[in-house]
């Protein structure tokens, strides 16, 4: 337990690529600014996320020893967010964790309370089906003790016990509840005698798997695995990988999948196929003088904040990389709106006063390009558009031009034809492009057609990561 194997790490870094996932990537923000006194104010904050193309929000709820359910004020805060999210079509994820290392749930009694607390939220809010259990349990700031007297990974062992309890209680509420485990920090020291006792995600995942196998459990412990893949500092691009050490950031995806496979494959808990959530990713920006009055405190020198253009480029790059990583199902920015204390996070697309940064437009375009499936070319990803098509009928066939309405699920190139039926000879034809989710009215050449039997055919292809074409054919139509 607690081991670091340099040779194994190097091997993990060169794991082969997997077939990519793509446009179904869920994008949102870890953003407690949406926790507001009423639904109108909460919706205002969610609208800021929507303008960036973010339709998922993660909020936090803090458990304290002795609580088996949120206190009335906390439950009301969650209810307000849930109600506002219903108005904006936003998915809500709740991260349940304790405040600090001093309140770590280490006893059976505390774990029972913690699990009951999470289950109470799920029971009282049936629209909320996604729960993150804990926060960065590989760090001493959030979980103590990290090590046993002989260097054992006590944190992984105790966290496993908590995760099992929460999984079982949440699944009792509903099998549809998604339990998101780990939420680990991207780095740690693995030094029991260090000034700051922490575990790297590499050793934490390995030891979590070992403890799970030793437990003999015949059920899973999580539906998704969360990690906070921050870079070494804000000036480091997302493409910077860590092949020879224990850090795991976005560019270390193959290493992460390999670790999960070694930890859990062959058990009841999926490993190498386990969905992954990038639960927090942020790039801090320099605050311009014109906005400085809205901020307090001092920026730590280690942060190395960047200008808005660099933040925008890094955010687009991070989304493009996640788009090509098949097991990554959710990507959350930390945050959408800056925190006002410079000692905290100024990583939003909005300043703390709610006005947009120049990076907002780039993020909005990037999220649209993810949904359109054009943000990146990915090895192994072959896409075939799906579409809803409305064809002309009845008397409209006598009018020129004929119009076909096409709505593709991703960006698509289309060819629409009117054919003689059953011969298949083309009478009218046109080509063009449509954006994901946007209904496109396609006008065929403005020529009247002779009476007879016809049918429409629509051929769709993805402009990027092009897979087999989609062929759609209407029922036969008669031009009288």
């Amino acid at each position: 337990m607690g081991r670091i194997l340099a040779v194994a790490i190097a091997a993990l870094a060169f794991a082969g690529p997997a077939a990519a996932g793509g446009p179904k990537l869920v994008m949102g923000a870890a953003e407690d600014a949406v926790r507001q006194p009423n639904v109108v104010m909460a919706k205002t904050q969610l609208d800021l996320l929507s303008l960036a193309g973010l339709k998922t929000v993660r909020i936090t709820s803090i458990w304290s020893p002795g609580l088996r359910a949120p206190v009335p004020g906390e439950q009301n805060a969650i209810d307000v967010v849930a109600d506002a999210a219903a108005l904006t079509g936003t998915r809500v994820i709740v991260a349940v964790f304790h405040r600090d290392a001093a309140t770590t749930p280490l006893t059976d009694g505390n774990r029972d309370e913690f699990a009951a607390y999470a289950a109470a939220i799920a029971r009282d809010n049936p629209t909320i089906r996604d729960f993150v259990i804990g926060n960065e349990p590989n760090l001493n700031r959030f979980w103590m003790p990290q090590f046993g007297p002989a260097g054992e990974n006590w944190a992984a062992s105790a966290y496993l016990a908590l995760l099992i309890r929460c999984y079982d209680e949440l699944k009792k509420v509903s099998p549809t509840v998604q339990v998101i485990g780990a939420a680990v920090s991207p780095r740690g020291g693995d030094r029991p005698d260090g000034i700051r006792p922490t575990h790297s995600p590499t050793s934490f995942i390995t030891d979590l798997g070992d403890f799970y196998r030793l437990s003999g459990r015949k059920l899973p412990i999580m539906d998704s695995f969360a990690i906070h893949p921050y870079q070494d500092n804000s000036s480091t691009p997302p493409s910077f990988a860590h092949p020879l050490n224990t850090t795991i950031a976005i560019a270390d995806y193959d290493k992460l999948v390999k670790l999960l496979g070694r930890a859990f494959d062959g058990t009841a808990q999926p490993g190498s196929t386990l969905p992954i959530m990038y639960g927090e990713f942020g790039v801090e920006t320099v605050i311009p003088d014109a906005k400085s009055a809205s901020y307090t405190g001092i920026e730590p020198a280690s942060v190395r904040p960047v200008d808005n253009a660099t933040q925008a480029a890094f955010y687009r790059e991070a989304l493009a990389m996640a788009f090509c990583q098949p097991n990554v199902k959710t990507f959350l920015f930390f945050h959408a709106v800056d925190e006002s204390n410079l000692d905290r996070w100024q990583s939003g697309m909005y300043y703390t006063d709610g006005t947009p940064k120049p990076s907002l437009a780039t993020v909005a375009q990037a999220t649209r390009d993810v949904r359109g499936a054009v943000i990146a070319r990915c090895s192994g990803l072959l896409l075939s558009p799906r579409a809803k098509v409305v064809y002309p009928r009845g008397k409209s066939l006598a009018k020129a031009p004929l119009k076909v309405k096409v709505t593709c699920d991703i960006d698509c190139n289309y060819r629409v034809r009117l054919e003689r039926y059953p011969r298949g000879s083309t009478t009218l034809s046109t080509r063009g492009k449509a954006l994901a989710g946007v209904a496109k009215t396609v006008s065929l050449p403005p020529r009247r057609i002779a009476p007879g039997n016809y049918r429409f055919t629509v051929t769709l292809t993805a402009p990027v990561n092009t897979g087999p074409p989609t062929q759609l054919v209407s029922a036969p139509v008669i031009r009288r």
Side-chain angles (χ1 to χ4, degrees):
M1 303 293 180
R3 53 199 176 279
I4 306 173
L5 304 177
V7 174
I9 292 168
L12 294 173
F14 294 101
K24 293 184 179 180
L25 179 68
V26 173
M27 295 167 289
E31 187 54 85
D32 274 345
V34 304
R35 290 170 53 102
Q36 293 289 328
N38 57 61
V39 171
V40 172
M41 295 174 69
K43 182 180 179 298
T44 298
Q45 293 296 318
L46 288 172
D47 286 341
L48 296 181
L49 273 67
S50 295
L51 289 173
L54 306 176
K55 301 301 292 183
T56 297
V57 66
R58 188 214 76 183
I59 62 172
T60 63
S61 186
I62 306 301
W63 169 83
S64 295
L67 290 180
R68 298 186 64 86
V71 298
E74 173 65 10
Q75 185 57 59
N76 181 68
I78 298 170
D79 292 344
V80 166
V81 173
D83 290 345
L87 297 175
T88 59
T90 303
R91 169 188 173 192
V92 179
I93 301 171
V94 177
V96 181
F97 55 92
H98 51 285
R99 186 168 303 281
D100 51 30
T103 55
T104 305
L106 297 176
T107 68
D108 287 340
N110 282 164
R111 287 190 280 265
D112 286 347
E113 292 168 355
F114 190 110
Y117 183 98
I121 298 173
R123 191 176 299 109
D124 292 341
N125 299 94
T127 62
I128 299 176
R129 299 291 84 174
D130 300 275
F131 290 83
V132 182
I133 303 304
N135 184 63
E136 299 185 346
N138 58 319
L139 300 187
N140 64 321
R141 177 181 177 183
F142 295 104
W143 197 283
M144 282 295 283
Q146 284 285 310
F147 295 92
E152 310 98 315
N153 192 338
W154 277 9
S157 176
Y159 177 75
L160 174 68
L162 176 67
L163 187 57
I164 288 172
R165 195 76 183 95
C166 290
Y167 183 94
D168 292 346
E169 289 303 305
L170 284 166
K171 292 297 183 179
K172 288 178 184 177
V173 175
S174 171
T176 65
V177 170
Q178 296 294 297
V179 179
I180 304 165
V184 292
S185 167
R187 57 195 139 261
D190 293 315
R191 293 188 296 272
D193 55 352
I195 296 175
R196 186 188 179 200
T198 60
H199 283 92
S200 70
T202 299
S203 65
F204 194 88
I205 293 167
T206 300
D207 293 346
L208 189 68
D210 286 347
F211 284 123
Y212 174 74
R213 291 175 188 273
L214 288 172
S215 74
R217 182 174 168 86
K218 302 302 181 183
L219 294 173
I221 54 175
M222 55 185 157
D223 300 302
S224 298
F225 178 90
I227 187 169
H228 302 164
Y230 294 106
Q231 286 298 86
D232 300 338
N233 58 66
S234 287
S235 68
T236 306
S239 57
F240 185 84
H242 306 81
L244 300 178
N245 65 30
T246 57
T247 294
I248 299 176
I250 293 176
D252 304 299
Y253 166 81
D254 287 339
K255 179 165 66 173
L256 174 57
V257 171
K258 194 75 171 181
L259 280 165
L260 289 170
R262 289 185 175 179
F264 298 110
D265 282 354
T267 73
Q269 173 60 54
S272 56
T273 61
L274 184 63
I276 294 168
M277 181 174 85
Y278 289 157
E280 294 181 8
F281 179 79
V283 175
E284 296 200 56
T285 62
V286 175
I287 303 305
D289 291 342
K291 294 290 184 181
S292 61
S294 299
Y295 294 81
T296 61
I298 299 174
E299 184 78 71
S302 60
V303 171
R304 297 179 64 183
V306 299
D307 57 42
N308 284 299
T310 301
Q311 183 201 46
F314 284 2
Y315 278 171
R316 183 177 179 89
E317 181 181 37
L319 284 175
M321 293 174 67
F323 177 89
C324 288
Q325 296 171 345
N327 292 3
V328 178
K329 306 304 181 185
T330 306
F331 185 108
L332 303 181
F333 291 101
F334 188 90
H335 297 285
V337 181
D338 282 358
E339 295 181 75
S340 60
N341 189 337
L342 293 174
D343 190 43
R344 301 298 300 158
W345 282 85
Q346 289 71 56
S347 51
M349 305 106 207
Y350 296 90
Y351 295 109
T352 192
D353 62 6
T355 57
K357 296 180 183 179
S359 54
L360 174 63
T362 299
V363 172
Q365 183 63 47
T367 56
R368 196 230 67 85
D369 288 349
V370 167
R371 295 187 176 97
V374 296
I375 194 169
R377 296 185 183 277
C378 310
S379 175
L381 179 59
L382 298 175
L383 298 173
S384 299
R386 294 182 297 176
K388 177 181 178 181
V389 181
V390 180
Y391 304 97
R393 299 176 61 188
K395 294 181 179 179
S396 64
L397 294 170
K399 299 177 182 179
L402 296 176
K403 296 181 179 181
V404 177
K405 184 177 289 186
V406 178
T407 307
C408 291
D409 64 333
I410 60 175
D411 288 5
C412 63
N413 298 324
Y414 62 78
R415 184 187 182 193
V416 178
R417 294 186 297 163
L418 180 69
E419 300 177 343
R420 280 283 191 175
Y421 180 79
R423 297 201 310 266
S425 58
T426 300
T427 301
L428 300 174
S429 178
T430 190
R431 299 175 183 269
K433 298 179 179 180
L435 298 178
V438 179
K440 178 71 176 285
T441 299
V442 179
S443 296
L444 288 160
R447 295 198 300 272
R448 295 176 64 86
I449 60 174
N453 295 330
Y454 297 89
R455 71 178 181 183
F456 293 93
T457 64
V458 179
T459 303
L460 306 170
T461 56
V464 181
N465 302 304
T466 307
T470 299
Q471 301 279 358
L472 303 173
V473 181
S474 75
V477 293
I478 301 174
R479 161 73 166 96
R480 299 186 185 279

